């Protein structure tokens, strides 16, 4: 399915009429006219009239067979953000339902955020809340993003990369979760085009070269499949197609092979009348061709979380090649293509009961929203849930639990109940005791062993895979850390007060500590203690707010020296300007020790966040670093690269290059790196049994853009399979 690139009022109405014969088009006509007037005179980056964009968004929504309100919102979705139109006007003209949908889709451009990562995360958080209220919000947002990706060529390269990465991280997985396969596939291919252009165009060239030969193979194999099915009186439609570029790219990355070694780039689909015929067709296929062990999946008996149903099998074809075959009914095919939109009931203007299962994950996202206050942590947790493949396991009583791929007994325990997860000390899988890191498989029966004395450990975050388990473990650990910080802060303030013959008890009783907490915009005295414990507030800064000026002046020089010595030990305050300190600007803190996290090795240009670490200053992580996400967000401090200094610093980065093992290839790769003006500190090369070469280069770069330049240069070399940045 593809979006009409020349969408008009007539084409939108014609599409709607094809699935909703009784439709009245007054609402769409009114919305089209309103949007046309509001956007009059505005141009897109391509130089075309802006109205083309909302028209194409509305056309996509019509292709999804959505209701009139959704299509009207597609036409109106940018009016509040980009024109003089207001939500009040929208509500007056079109009603509250449409106004709420437009508000849900509207970007947060009027809000200011300290970092781009925070902006992305907060935008996504609002989108999730709006989705929970009305799922149509995300359907409009997907149509909007699809059209933006289709016209991305008109934006500068750095914006293309940012938008494409966000699309790959969030929007393509959401389309997949909602079961809208054609949007997911098109978004992924467009992302590949802008994130790995050399790979994309190389694939396009190679696929194009074999087009005629491939089409003949598809026609011949379809004919053979039809013959086999007719022998058993199975009426079926058989289709064949080349897999999408992103799917081929993923196979190359996963298997670490070049294009020529990816043999199963063609998939066949068999559409039959009913479920019985699905299994009958499967039997015919397996009787006619040798099935590949471990490559059969029954998504009819165990549907995916997005309600996708089909039988998948891979067999050995007529010339020894692997052939992937999907078998499904017409209804299953409709849901596989349209996903959640296939459940819309137009006369009632709502989704039917089956669609509720499709949006169950939205309710889980709402749970994370309540538990996770930090937007970046929320976004990271949601990504885990979006990318999850499904494993189905059983409780001892025979109840089915749906978990993400790679789930462990700990994930299962938290799926049962938070208290069961927190108290888990062991598990039995199919009657045998297994370690907590054991990976579960579909069909396993799991029994949890619990102990009242057990509590979650930070190490558990390395074991669990589900977003629910991670969120619950983090919440428990952070509560413990907050309690420790509160006690430490109380001790530090008590020590500072002793010099003035005061105690915590006296100042609490007088109400002075509550007054100071409110001075720092805190609600309680406990929050003040916690802030001191996390070093966000210095006890020494609290003292002048408690002690009269005369008493402060009587403080001896010896006491001052003692306090300064103590602070240096606790906070690592230093006047020495280090290279790292020059590179980073830390909000609200001067002259603190700066160190870079070895787990992610940030480069100038990476999104970064900082965490105060008692005794070690501020540690800098990339915004997406999993270790940073696991840290307590109350210790977080805003940091940014010092743009005036970043070019003076050279940071060491490791690059892993997988290529074909050919003579002179190391020299070719080295030249590609050094020609970009980058020094190679070291290189380590090894070969594999299947004629591959793996080279690890340690290079000195000044920022992220220089690293990306090297990566592109290497990806463009013939024989290179993949290039990736190595994190320690």
């Amino acid at each position: 399915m593809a979006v009409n690139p020349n969408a008009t009022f007539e084409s939108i109405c014609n599409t709607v009429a094809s699935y909703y014969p009784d439709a009245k088009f007054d609402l769409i006509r009114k919305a089209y006219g309103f949007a046309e007037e509001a956007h009059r005179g505005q141009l897109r980056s391509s130089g075309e009239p802006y109205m083309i964009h909302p028209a194409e968004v509305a056309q996509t929504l019509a292709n999804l067979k959505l209701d009139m309100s959704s299509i009207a919102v597609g036409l109106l979705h940018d009016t509040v953000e980009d024109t003089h139109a207001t939500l009040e006007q929208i509500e007056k003209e079109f009603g509250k339902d449409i106004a709420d949908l437009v508000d849900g889709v509207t970007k947060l451009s009027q809000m200011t955020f300290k970092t781009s990562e925070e902006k992305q995360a907060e935008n996504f958080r609002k989108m999730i809340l709006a989705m929970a209220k009305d799922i149509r919000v995300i359907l409009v947002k997907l149509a909007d993003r699809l059209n933006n990706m289709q016209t991305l060529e008109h934006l500068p390269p750095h914006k293309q990369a940012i938008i494409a990465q966000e699309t790959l991280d969030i929007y393509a997985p959401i389309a997949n979760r909602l079961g809208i396969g054609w949007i997911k596939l098109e978004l992924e291919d467009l992302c590949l085009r802008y994130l790995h252009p050399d790979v994309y165009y190389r694939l396009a060239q190679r696929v194009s070269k074999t087009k005629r030969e491939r089409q003949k193979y598809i026609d011949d194999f379809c004919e053979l499949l039809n013959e086999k099915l007719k022998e058993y009186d199975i009426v079926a439609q058989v289709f064949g197609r080349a897999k999408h570029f992103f799917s081929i790219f993923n196979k190359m990355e996963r298997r670490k092979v070049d294009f020529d070694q990816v043999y199963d780039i063609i998939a066949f689909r068999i559409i039959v009348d009913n479920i019985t015929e699905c299994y009958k067709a499967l039997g015919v296929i397996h009787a006619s061709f040798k099935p590949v062990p471990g490559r059969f999946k029954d998504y009819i008996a165990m549907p995916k979380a997005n309600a996708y149903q089909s039988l998948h099998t891979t067999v050995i074809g007529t010339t020894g090649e692997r052939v992937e075959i999907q078998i499904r009914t017409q209804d299953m095919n409709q849901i596989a293509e349209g996903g959640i939109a296939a459940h819309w009931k137009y006369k009632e203007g709502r989704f039917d009961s089956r669609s509720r299962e499709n949006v169950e994950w939205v309710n889980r996202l709402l749970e994370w929203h309540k538990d996770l206050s930090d937007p970046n942590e929320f976004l990271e947790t949601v990504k885990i849930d979006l990318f999850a493949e499904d494993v189905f396991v059983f409780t001892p009583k025979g109840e089915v639990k749906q978990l993400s791929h790679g789930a462990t007994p700990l994930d299962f325990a938290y799926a049962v109940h938070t208290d069961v997860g927190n108290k888990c000390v062991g598990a039995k899988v199919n009657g045998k005791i297994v370690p907590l890191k054991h990976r579960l498989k579909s069909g396993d029966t799991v029994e949890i062993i619990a102990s009242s004395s057990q509590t979650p450990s930070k190490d558990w975050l390395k074991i669990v895979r589900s977003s629910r388990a991670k969120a619950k473990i983090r919440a428990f650990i952070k509560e413990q850390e907050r309690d420790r910080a509160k006690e430490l802060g109380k001790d530090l303030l008590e020590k500072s007060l002793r010099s003035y013959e005061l105690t915590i008890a006296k100042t609490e009783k007088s109400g002075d500590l509550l007054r100071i907490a409110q001075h720092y915009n805190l609600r309680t005295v406990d929050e003040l203690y916690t802030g001191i414990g996390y070093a966000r507030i210095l006890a020494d800064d609290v003292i002048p707010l408690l002690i009269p000026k005369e008493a402060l002046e009587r403080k001896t020089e010896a006491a001052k020296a003692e306090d300064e010595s103590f602070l240096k030990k606790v906070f690592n305050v230093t006047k020495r300007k280090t290279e790292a300190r020059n590179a980073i600007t830390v909000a609200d803190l001067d002259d603190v020790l700066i160190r870079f996290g070895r787990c992610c090795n940030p480069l100038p240009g990476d999104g970064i966040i900082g965490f105060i670490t008692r005794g070690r200053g501020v540690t800098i992580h990339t915004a997406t670093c999993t270790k940073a996400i696991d840290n307590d967000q109350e210790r977080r401090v805003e940091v940014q690269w010092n743009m005036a200094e970043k070019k003076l610093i050279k940071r060491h980065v490791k690059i892993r290059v997988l290529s074909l093992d050919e003579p002179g290839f190391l020299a070719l790769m080295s030249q590609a790196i050094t020609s970009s003006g980058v020094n190679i500190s070291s290189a380590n090369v090894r070969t594999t049994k299947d004629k591959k070469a793996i080279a690890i280069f340690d290079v000195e770069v000044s920022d992220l853009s220089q690293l990306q330049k090297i990566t592109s240069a290497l990806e463009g070399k013939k024989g290179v399979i993949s290039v990736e940045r190595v994190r320690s």
Side-chain angles (χ1 to χ4, degrees):
M1 195 180 296
V3 176
N4 185 345
N6 300 304
T8 63
F9 172 72
E10 290 74 19
S11 71
I12 295 167
C13 291
N14 288 338
T15 304
V16 173
S18 69
Y19 63 85
Y20 192 3
D22 300 330
K24 301 288 190 293
F25 299 108
D26 295 346
L27 178 61
I28 297 179
R29 182 180 287 106
K30 186 178 180 181
Y32 197 100
F34 187 96
E36 200 169 34
E37 182 59 36
H39 290 296
R40 192 177 301 281
Q42 292 182 346
L43 300 176
R44 301 195 76 188
S45 300
S46 62
E48 298 173 311
Y50 193 89
M51 186 58 199
I52 289 176
H53 170 63
E56 290 183 352
V57 170
Q59 180 67 64
T60 298
L61 296 169
N63 289 347
L64 286 170
K65 301 182 179 180
L66 291 191
D67 64 319
M68 295 296 195
S69 294
S70 299
I71 295 167
V73 172
L75 291 165
L76 299 168
H77 76 277
D78 274 341
T79 54
V80 173
E81 180 190 0
D82 294 336
T83 77
H84 294 299
T86 64
L87 270 177
E88 290 74 21
Q89 281 180 281
I90 299 289
E91 185 171 348
K92 183 180 177 183
E93 293 289 331
F94 301 96
K96 191 171 189 311
D97 181 48
I98 287 178
D100 286 345
L101 286 169
V102 170
D103 186 38
V105 179
T106 299
K107 301 183 185 76
L108 301 178
S109 56
Q110 69 273 24
M111 296 184 71
T112 56
F113 296 93
K114 294 179 182 177
T115 67
S116 60
E117 290 78 21
E118 188 176 345
K119 182 172 182 178
Q120 182 198 45
E122 280 293 349
N123 269 294
F124 187 69
R125 187 188 282 268
K126 184 179 181 185
M127 188 166 66
I128 295 300
L129 293 173
M131 280 166 60
K133 187 176 180 182
D134 194 323
I135 197 68
R136 290 175 292 176
V137 167
I138 192 55
L139 297 175
V140 177
K141 195 73 177 173
L142 282 173
D144 174 49
R145 180 50 62 107
L146 176 62
N147 186 247
N148 285 335
M149 286 298 298
Q150 289 168 331
T151 55
L152 201 59
E153 63 199 63
H154 302 293
L155 294 183
H158 71 282
K159 286 190 176 180
Q160 290 175 350
I162 291 170
I163 293 170
Q165 190 62 56
E166 182 187 61
T167 301
L168 192 61
D169 287 346
I170 299 297
Y171 290 95
I174 284 179
N176 182 50
R177 266 297 188 179
L178 295 177
I180 311 172
W182 69 273
I183 288 186
K184 168 191 176 279
L185 293 170
E186 186 163 351
L187 286 177
E188 286 177 340
D189 277 1
L190 288 165
C191 290
L192 181 65
R193 175 180 169 185
Y194 293 104
L195 292 174
H196 300 282
D198 296 324
V199 173
Y200 178 86
Y201 288 111
R202 193 160 78 241
L203 280 177
Q205 186 181 33
R206 292 190 180 189
V207 170
S208 178
K209 276 183 181 178
T210 59
K211 185 176 181 180
R212 183 180 299 177
E213 178 186 337
R214 188 174 61 255
Q215 191 57 52
K216 184 179 185 310
Y217 176 85
I218 289 173
D219 293 342
D220 291 347
F221 201 80
C222 282
E223 188 177 341
L224 179 59
L225 286 174
N226 268 315
E227 287 175 6
K228 298 289 185 185
L229 294 168
K230 281 177 183 176
E231 286 179 24
Y232 293 88
D233 299 321
I234 298 174
V235 178
Q237 297 169 276
V238 182
F239 307 96
R241 59 165 179 80
K243 291 186 177 177
H244 287 257
F245 290 170
F246 190 81
S247 175
I248 298 172
F249 170 69
N250 266 349
K251 283 183 181 291
M252 291 167 60
E253 288 283 291
R254 194 167 58 249
R255 299 177 187 174
K256 303 300 180 187
V257 296
D258 198 18
F259 176 80
D260 296 330
Q261 293 171 284
V262 180
Y263 301 112
D264 50 343
I265 66 169
I266 300 173
F268 291 87
R269 186 173 299 160
I270 298 173
I271 311 293
V272 294
D273 291 336
N274 53 57
I275 292 178
T276 303
E277 297 286 276
C278 286
Y279 288 100
K280 191 175 175 182
L282 177 70
V284 172
I285 298 302
H286 282 184
S288 305
F289 306 96
K290 185 178 180 181
V292 177
R295 297 288 295 170
F296 168 66
K297 291 183 179 177
D298 187 344
Y299 293 119
I300 293 179
M302 292 287 195
K304 290 189 176 184
N306 58 15
Y308 175 90
Q309 288 184 289
S310 187
L311 297 177
H312 288 200
T313 188
T314 301
V315 299
I316 304 299
T318 52
T319 57
E321 77 288 358
R322 290 187 173 200
V323 180
E324 185 180 301
I325 300 173
Q326 301 169 355
I327 308 168
R328 61 180 73 146
T329 66
Q330 195 67 253
D331 284 347
M332 291 174 191
N333 193 55
Q334 195 174 354
I335 291 170
E337 292 297 321
I340 196 168
H343 296 304
W344 193 261
K345 284 193 172 180
Y346 305 100
K347 291 182 181 178
E348 291 86 351
R350 60 176 177 78
F351 287 108
D352 71 18
S353 59
R354 287 181 299 169
S355 71
R356 297 297 169 193
E357 298 173 6
N358 287 9
V359 293
E360 183 63 31
W361 64 280
V362 177
N363 295 328
R364 291 202 299 272
L365 299 186
L366 276 180
E367 188 179 339
W368 310 155
H369 167 74
K370 292 173 187 173
D371 289 346
L372 305 172
S373 58
D374 179 67
N376 288 291
E377 186 176 355
F378 175 71
L379 183 61
E380 191 66 27
T381 301
V382 167
K383 282 183 185 178
I384 295 169
D385 206 50
L386 285 177
F387 283 105
E389 289 294 330
D390 302 312
V391 172
F392 298 89
V393 297
F394 298 93
T395 69
K397 293 182 179 180
E399 296 174 20
V400 177
K401 292 291 180 182
Q402 186 176 333
L403 303 173
S404 55
H405 178 72
T408 65
L410 265 179
D411 292 292
F412 175 85
Y414 279 102
V416 172
H417 195 277
T418 301
D419 288 340
V420 176
N422 288 344
K423 302 299 180 185
C424 178
V425 293
K428 290 181 180 179
V429 174
N430 303 324
K432 295 181 180 179
I433 292 178
V434 297
L436 290 180
K437 64 182 179 181
H438 174 83
R439 286 197 170 194
L440 300 174
K441 301 188 295 293
S442 286
D444 284 344
T445 298
V446 187
E447 180 184 349
I448 297 300
I449 303 168
S451 168
S452 58
S453 61
Q454 176 70 301
T455 57
S457 157
K458 204 166 187 176
D459 291 336
W460 284 11
L461 290 168
K462 299 174 185 175
I463 296 173
V464 297
R465 294 297 298 269
S466 66
S467 51
R468 174 184 174 84
K470 283 183 180 289
K472 295 300 181 183
I473 294 166
R474 283 173 179 150
F476 183 90
I477 291 169
K478 286 174 185 176
E479 187 60 38
Q480 282 191 320
E481 288 181 350
R482 275 192 288 273
D483 289 344
R484 285 197 294 268
K486 185 179 81 172
E487 291 306 313
L488 178 59
K490 201 170 183 179
D491 289 344
L492 287 169
L493 186 57
E494 184 83 67
K495 180 183 183 303
S496 296
L497 288 171
R498 277 192 209 125
S499 302
Y500 302 93
E501 298 179 354
L502 284 174
T503 65
I504 287 285
K506 282 183 182 178
T507 48
E508 261 192 21
K509 189 175 181 181
S510 67
D512 286 340
L513 282 183
L514 180 59
R515 173 178 55 81
I516 291 168
Q518 292 167 346
H519 170 80
Y520 285 105
N521 296 317
L522 303 173
R523 292 172 298 173
T524 65
V525 174
D526 281 351
E527 287 184 15
L528 176 65
Y529 296 148
T530 303
I532 295 170
Y534 279 134
R536 297 188 68 83
I537 300 169
L538 297 181
D540 221 33
D541 290 341
V542 173
I543 295 300
L545 301 175
L546 280 170
I547 307 300
K549 187 176 179 182
E550 302 77 32
L552 284 173
E553 289 173 351
R554 289 197 297 269
K555 189 174 176 75
T556 63
E557 290 298 319
K560 285 183 182 179
E562 183 185 345
D563 273 3
E564 285 176 9
S565 173
F566 175 74
L567 284 173
K568 282 181 181 179
K569 288 177 184 176
V570 174
F571 299 114
N572 258 329
V573 177
T574 174
K575 298 295 181 182
R576 182 168 53 91
K577 290 281 186 179
T578 64
E579 184 185 71
R581 179 67 186 88
N582 287 335
I584 299 292
T585 302
V586 183
D588 303 325
L589 291 175
D590 293 320
D591 297 323
V592 293
L593 183 67
I594 299 293
R595 55 194 293 273
F596 293 105
R598 292 183 181 177
C599 46
C600 53
N601 195 22
L603 283 177
D606 280 329
I608 53 173
I609 47 181
F611 288 89
I612 296 172
T613 309
R614 190 167 291 280
R616 298 166 78 182
V618 174
T619 304
I620 308 299
H621 295 272
T622 61
T624 56
C625 176
T626 52
K627 283 199 175 180
I629 295 296
D630 291 341
N631 281 327
D632 195 314
Q633 300 303 309
E634 291 193 35
R635 294 195 288 109
R636 182 172 168 179
V637 63
E638 293 301 330
V639 294
Q640 59 185 18
W641 293 103
N642 184 351
M643 302 307 288
E645 298 286 345
K646 76 180 181 73
K647 291 292 181 185
L648 303 176
I649 300 168
K650 293 289 185 181
R651 300 275 298 149
H652 282 270
V653 175
K654 284 186 170 62
I655 303 173
R656 181 183 185 276
V657 183
L658 177 66
S659 65
L660 301 178
D661 183 16
E662 295 178 352
F665 212 74
L666 178 59
L668 190 67
M669 289 188 285
S670 300
Q671 186 182 10
I673 295 172
T674 55
S675 62
S676 301
V678 172
N679 181 52
I680 300 174
S681 300
S682 66
N684 188 297
V685 183
R686 65 182 177 85
T687 57
T688 62
K689 293 179 181 178
D690 58 345
K691 301 293 183 182
K692 302 289 191 311
I694 299 173
I696 307 290
F697 293 97
D698 188 331
V699 298
E700 294 179 342
V701 296
S702 57
D703 57 22
L704 185 62
S705 62
Q706 193 172 34
L707 176 62
Q708 289 170 339
K709 186 178 178 183
I710 299 168
T711 301
S712 294
L714 288 167
E715 284 179 341
K717 297 298 179 186
K718 186 179 178 182
V720 171
I721 297 168
S722 65
V723 182
E724 60 184 352
R725 177 177 170 184
V726 178
R727 310 277 186 178
S728 298

